[in-house]
Amino acid sequence: MISAPIPVTLLTGFLGAGKTTLLNRLLHDPTAGRVAVVVNEFGDAGLDHDLIEQAAEDVVLMPGGCVCCSIRGDLSKTLLSLLARRVRGELSFDRVVIETTGLADPGPIHHTLLVDPVLAPNYALDGTVTVVDAVLGAATLDRHAEAQAQVAMADRIVLSKRDLADAAGLAALEARLDRLNPGAPRIVADQGAVPAGSLWGLGALRKPMAPDHALAWLAQPAADPLAGLSGMTAPRPKSVDFAAPSHHATDDRIATASITLNAPIPAEIFDFWLDTLIALRGAHILRLKGIVHIEDAAHPFVFHGVQHIFEPPVPLQNWPEGDTTSRVVIIARDMPKSDLDESLSLLTLPKLPGAEDAAGLSGMTVHTLEQPF
Ligand SMILES: Nc1nc2c(ncn2[C@@H]2O[C@H](COP(=O)(O)OP(=O)(O)OP(=O)(O)O)[C@@H](O)[C@H]2O)c(=O)[nH]1
């Protein structure tokens, strides 16, 4: 095992969105660090083969010292082999980008990185970057639920081909992206070129987070007019606030709901809510994230899940004194927003429901998850 886990970025986006164009730029960008890119096939990836050097059957070296590696067998084997070569000094790289094919669901990759006994201590998921075509993106979202899921799971959205888009179409697409994933910042890729550093350090959930980083990561849904103005530290007028993102286009299968609570949450209530949600609706959850104040805990925690897989909670040091506001966001597929709101309302319970209350909660008293708190 090596000292610091190697950050891993998942790069996703629909077929033809512009992933390879972005990768080619990254691999030739000296400010991007030494990147090992993992792709399904060199041929499919269409990476610029000028001047590349074949280092092994499944690995090529790019001019800046970057590594490009094609998946042979499953992804775990490829990542283990990269790690072994790095440890032996045969390859040198600072981070890994995994390009998923246009239709892939990033959930299983995330799961592999978190639970594999050798990979988990050596690699850490940095974030999911989703490339969206500024011209064809809306039509793709109309037709393909997978594209909606890719947007919903993104930590950062990269808009490609903006040079080809008209202003009205772009505005409509951006509004839709806001609805699908209110918290994900967007950047523009101009023929694959993005601002230096804009794709790295997106989650950084393995190390303690600074409060402003955590708040930016958990950006409030756009419908909250105070988002960004209050610094989110000012007391809120109500103790419970279902910040409701605007209505969804009827074709969207993704729903988002969030809640803001002023008072700390009892630990058993938080666990009950999470257990219940995962046990009953785990298959529908795409993203779950929040900053949570648990009763009697010294610090608030950031928690973060992709589908039913959770990162270990990260304590937030240096949190402003007296601010006990918790914020939780759920993004789900094929679940009405009303169900999400109902689930979140469990967080407002003062105590665990007894047998008589449980009937009204459709028997939601299952305990299947390892307790995060
Ligand atoms: N005009 C314009 N074209 C772009 C831009 N970015 C990418 N393209 C073009 O879009 C096409 C598809 O880009 P790729 O990078 O191959 O897309 P991809 O997502 O890797 O495609 P798949 O591997 O098939 O999923 C190519 O012809 C690119 O040159 C851009 O910012 N502007």
Side-chain angles (χ1 to χ4, degrees), residues 83-92:
L83 186 65
R85 290 177 198 176
R86 188 181 192 247
V87 169
R88 291 198 297 267
E90 294 166 16
L91 293 176
S92 165

Short mmCIF file of all heavy atoms in Angstrom, two decimals, residues 83-92:
data_model
loop_
_atom_site.label_atom_id
_atom_site.label_comp_id
_atom_site.label_asym_id
_atom_site.label_seq_id
_atom_site.Cartn_x
_atom_site.Cartn_y
_atom_site.Cartn_z
N LEU A 83 -1.40 0.03 -10.53
CA LEU A 83 -0.83 0.27 -9.20
C LEU A 83 0.48 -0.49 -9.03
O LEU A 83 1.49 0.07 -8.56
CB LEU A 83 -1.86 -0.19 -8.16
CG LEU A 83 -1.55 0.08 -6.71
CD1 LEU A 83 -1.52 1.57 -6.44
CD2 LEU A 83 -2.60 -0.60 -5.82
N ALA A 84 0.47 -1.76 -9.44
CA ALA A 84 1.68 -2.58 -9.29
C ALA A 84 2.83 -1.99 -10.09
O ALA A 84 3.97 -1.90 -9.61
CB ALA A 84 1.38 -4.00 -9.76
N ARG A 85 2.54 -1.53 -11.30
CA ARG A 85 3.62 -0.95 -12.12
C ARG A 85 4.10 0.37 -11.53
O ARG A 85 5.27 0.71 -11.66
CB ARG A 85 3.12 -0.72 -13.55
CG ARG A 85 2.91 -2.01 -14.29
CD ARG A 85 2.35 -1.73 -15.65
NE ARG A 85 1.76 -2.94 -16.21
CZ ARG A 85 1.12 -2.98 -17.36
NH1 ARG A 85 0.99 -1.90 -18.09
NH2 ARG A 85 0.63 -4.10 -17.80
N ARG A 86 3.22 1.09 -10.92
CA ARG A 86 3.64 2.35 -10.29
C ARG A 86 4.54 2.05 -9.09
O ARG A 86 5.57 2.68 -8.89
CB ARG A 86 2.39 3.11 -9.84
CG ARG A 86 2.63 4.52 -9.33
CD ARG A 86 1.29 5.08 -8.91
NE ARG A 86 1.29 6.50 -8.66
CZ ARG A 86 1.10 7.03 -7.46
NH1 ARG A 86 0.97 6.25 -6.40
NH2 ARG A 86 1.07 8.33 -7.32
N VAL A 87 4.13 1.06 -8.30
CA VAL A 87 4.93 0.71 -7.12
C VAL A 87 6.31 0.21 -7.55
O VAL A 87 7.33 0.51 -6.93
CB VAL A 87 4.19 -0.37 -6.28
CG1 VAL A 87 5.09 -0.94 -5.20
CG2 VAL A 87 2.93 0.24 -5.65
N ARG A 88 6.36 -0.55 -8.65
CA ARG A 88 7.65 -1.07 -9.13
C ARG A 88 8.48 0.01 -9.84
O ARG A 88 9.59 -0.25 -10.28
CB ARG A 88 7.42 -2.23 -10.10
CG ARG A 88 6.88 -3.49 -9.42
CD ARG A 88 7.08 -4.72 -10.30
NE ARG A 88 6.37 -4.64 -11.55
CZ ARG A 88 5.15 -5.15 -11.76
NH1 ARG A 88 4.51 -5.77 -10.78
NH2 ARG A 88 4.57 -5.04 -12.93
N GLY A 89 7.90 1.20 -9.99
CA GLY A 89 8.63 2.29 -10.64
C GLY A 89 8.61 2.22 -12.16
O GLY A 89 9.30 2.96 -12.84
N GLU A 90 7.76 1.34 -12.72
CA GLU A 90 7.70 1.23 -14.18
C GLU A 90 6.85 2.34 -14.80
O GLU A 90 7.05 2.72 -15.94
CB GLU A 90 7.08 -0.12 -14.58
CG GLU A 90 7.94 -1.31 -14.19
CD GLU A 90 7.18 -2.63 -14.29
OE1 GLU A 90 6.10 -2.66 -14.93
OE2 GLU A 90 7.65 -3.60 -13.70
N LEU A 91 5.88 2.83 -14.04
CA LEU A 91 5.01 3.90 -14.53
C LEU A 91 4.92 4.96 -13.45
O LEU A 91 5.00 4.66 -12.26
CB LEU A 91 3.58 3.39 -14.79
CG LEU A 91 3.38 2.39 -15.92
CD1 LEU A 91 1.91 1.95 -15.93
CD2 LEU A 91 3.75 2.99 -17.26
N SER A 92 4.74 6.19 -13.91
CA SER A 92 4.64 7.28 -12.95
C SER A 92 3.41 8.12 -13.30
O SER A 92 3.28 8.59 -14.43
CB SER A 92 5.93 8.11 -13.05
OG SER A 92 5.75 9.33 -12.43
#
